[in-house]
């Protein structure tokens, strides 16, 4: 076992684009923490095997530090080298950052998304650009030297000039990790409803690709390693926890909607706050599970591996399927592995479909 993921679903409000399980039932936080602790004690039998812990959401920073510490105590990750919490800039104060650092959190993932207030307001974020900058400086002063920020591109009406401004502002902050995601239109989100109603028009695909290419170039010029399709890190600062997903390493997911993987099957908890709390209280943990076939494992190996800089092994079978993609410059071979080229990264999902 490598990592523990804890899903904290609470949010003050929902962002336009988000399709992760979340809830605004903030009065249920204490009952939820109790349920997560119960689940952790039931499922974690070898805490010394835990290498990473990741609090994701939702908005994990909606919990107070005492609640977070109680969850960590139940997990007891004595050998974990990386303990991350996702946070909204508006939830982090000097005092809270100091407390988080003191209870063992050693990596922050801060949901900045943009350094332009107009863009933040559009996607429904509840912080300002200045708040985000100030919080990163406060975190550094509190002793955090492993900070990741999220940025979002290809927003409706976003210009290349605005995107370049966001990249430059991020680089000025001297963070160690940057995750960048194009705005996606997921079924059931308010954002997709706005598109269907003709209220907004998605960004042009050519502009989106150009934004991605410029991002990759500028971050590389500033010493960042492009180690996964959406993730960039200074050397040695890659996310250990997320890398375990892409490397097909087993992990345990705690909380409502959380997924787990033991190398042969995937399990997931029910995505409902009250049902999850009741299930745990009654000794029922999983909502459902799926035993993976060898074919599914092979498919996931290709799907996940091609997202990373390591790529996948250039086996005879893969080479036969990949030959046209290699000849067209969408894939390349290096050190015995097949990798997506910069051109290939634009249509990675199509490439994966061709290979599986």
């Amino acid at each position: 076992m490598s990592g523990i993921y804890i899903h904290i679903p609470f949010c003050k409000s929902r962002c336009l684009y988000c399709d992760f399980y979340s809830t605004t039932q903030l009065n249920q936080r204490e009952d939820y923490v109790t349920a997560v602790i119960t689940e952790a004690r039931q499922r974690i039998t070898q805490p010394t095997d835990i290498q990473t812990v990741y609090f994701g959401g939702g908005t994990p920073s909606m919990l107070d530090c005492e609640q977070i510490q109680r969850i960590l105590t139940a997990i007891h990750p004595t050998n974990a080298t990386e303990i991350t919490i996702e946070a909204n800039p508006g939830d982090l104060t000097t005092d809270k950052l100091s407390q988080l650092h003191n209870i063992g959190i050693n990596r922050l993932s801060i949901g900045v998304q943009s350094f332009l207030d107009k863009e933040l307001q559009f996607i429904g974020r509840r912080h300002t650009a200045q708040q985000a900058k100030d919080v990163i400086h406060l975190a550094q002063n509190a002793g955090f030297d492993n900070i990741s920020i999220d940025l979002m591109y290809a927003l409706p009406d976003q210009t290349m000039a605005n995107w370049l401004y966001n990249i430059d502002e991020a680089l000025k902050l001297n963070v160690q990790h940057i995750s960048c995601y194009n705005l996606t239109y997921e079924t059931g989100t308010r954002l997709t409803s706005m598109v269907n109603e003709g209220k907004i028009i998605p960004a042009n695909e050519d502009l989106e690709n150009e934004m991605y290419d410029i991002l990759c170039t500028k971050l590389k010029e500033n010493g960042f390693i492009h180690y996964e399709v959406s993730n960039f890190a200074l050397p040695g600062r890659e996310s250990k926890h997320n890398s375990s997903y892409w490397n097909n390493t087993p992990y345990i997911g705690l909380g409502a909607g959380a997924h787990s993987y033991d190398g042969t099957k995937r399990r997931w908890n029910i995505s409902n706050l009250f049902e999850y709390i009741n299930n745990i209280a009654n000794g029922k943990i999983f909502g459902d599970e799926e035993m993976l076939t060898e074919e599914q494992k092979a498919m996931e190996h290709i799907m996940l591996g091609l997202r990373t800089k390591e790529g996948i092994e250039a086996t005879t079978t893969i080479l036969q399927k990949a030959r046209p993609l290699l000849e067209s410059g969408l894939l390349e071979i290096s050190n015995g592995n097949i990798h997506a080229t910069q051109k290939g990264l634009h249509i990675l999902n199509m490439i994966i479909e061709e290979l599986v």
Side-chain angles (χ1 to χ4, degrees), residues 30-50:
E30 181 56 31
D31 286 346
Y32 184 79
V33 168
T34 299
V36 169
I37 289 170
T38 300
E39 183 185 4
R41 288 172 174 163
Q42 290 174 344
R43 298 184 59 198
I44 299 173
T45 58
Q46 294 179 298
T48 55
D49 290 345
I50 299 169

Side-chain angles (χ1 to χ4, degrees), residues 60-310:
S61 53
M62 293 293 297
L63 297 186
D64 62 41
C65 292
E66 187 270 339
Q67 291 170 323
I68 295 166
Q69 184 174 29
R70 282 162 48 207
I71 294 173
L72 283 174
T73 299
I75 294 171
H76 195 55
T78 53
N79 293 331
T81 57
E82 180 187 276
I83 303 178
T84 303
I85 188 168
E86 292 180 354
N88 186 295
D91 298 331
L92 298 177
T93 62
T94 299
D95 183 54
K96 186 159 189 173
L97 285 163
S98 178
Q99 290 182 51
L100 288 171
H101 193 265
N102 289 339
I103 65 175
I105 303 295
N106 58 19
R107 184 174 183 272
L108 295 177
S109 178
I110 302 176
V112 173
Q113 310 309 351
S114 174
F115 291 105
L116 290 163
D117 287 336
K118 184 178 180 180
E119 293 181 350
L120 290 171
Q121 290 164 7
F122 167 74
I123 58 178
R125 302 298 288 179
R126 54 186 174 86
H127 66 272
T128 66
Q130 190 59 50
Q131 273 182 304
K133 296 176 187 178
D134 291 344
V135 157
I136 291 167
H137 292 309
L138 289 176
Q140 291 164 337
N141 291 337
F144 286 98
D145 63 357
N146 197 1
I147 299 173
S148 176
I149 62 172
D150 287 357
L151 293 178
M152 188 169 286
Y153 66 96
L155 306 179
D157 299 325
Q158 186 180 43
T159 64
M160 181 61 73
N162 285 349
W163 178 230
L164 286 169
Y165 174 81
N166 279 325
I167 298 171
D168 289 339
E169 291 300 294
L171 290 169
K172 289 177 185 176
L173 293 168
N174 297 316
V175 296
Q176 291 74 35
H177 189 284
I178 300 176
S179 298
C180 298
Y181 304 98
N182 61 313
L183 183 65
T184 55
Y185 298 82
E186 304 291 349
T187 301
T189 62
R190 283 191 293 150
L191 183 69
T192 299
S193 296
M194 292 172 72
V195 173
N196 294 337
E197 293 164 6
K199 294 180 179 178
I200 57 172
I201 300 174
N204 176 274
E205 185 176 341
D206 290 338
L207 176 61
E208 180 177 330
N209 288 339
E210 187 180 353
M211 286 178 168
Y212 182 68
D213 288 343
I214 286 177
L215 166 74
C216 296
T217 298
K218 287 186 71 68
L219 293 190
K220 182 179 180 180
E221 290 173 349
N222 283 273
F224 282 78
I225 297 170
H226 189 187
Y227 73 102
E228 194 271 345
V229 64
S230 300
N231 288 277
F232 306 78
L234 295 178
R237 297 308 183 100
E238 298 88 346
S239 170
K240 295 177 183 177
H241 183 87
N242 288 338
S243 293
S244 70
Y245 297 151
W246 305 318
N247 294 335
N248 208 36
T249 304
Y251 56 88
I252 288 177
L254 306 174
H259 285 233
S260 302
Y261 174 62
D262 66 2
T264 59
K265 61 178 173 292
R266 297 197 183 280
R267 289 172 162 174
W268 51 94
N269 294 344
I270 191 163
S271 295
N272 180 288
L273 179 70
F274 296 102
E275 288 188 46
Y276 167 75
I277 293 172
N278 289 333
N279 282 352
I280 295 299
N282 292 314
K284 179 182 178 183
I285 298 176
F286 304 114
D288 211 340
E289 66 179 33
E290 175 189 24
M291 185 70 68
L292 298 180
T293 65
E294 291 304 313
E295 184 179 2
Q296 286 175 312
K297 290 180 185 179
M299 180 176 66
E300 290 196 1
H301 172 71
I302 294 171
M303 179 180 67
L304 297 173
L306 279 182
R307 295 185 62 87
T308 69
K309 66 181 178 65
E310 286 79 14

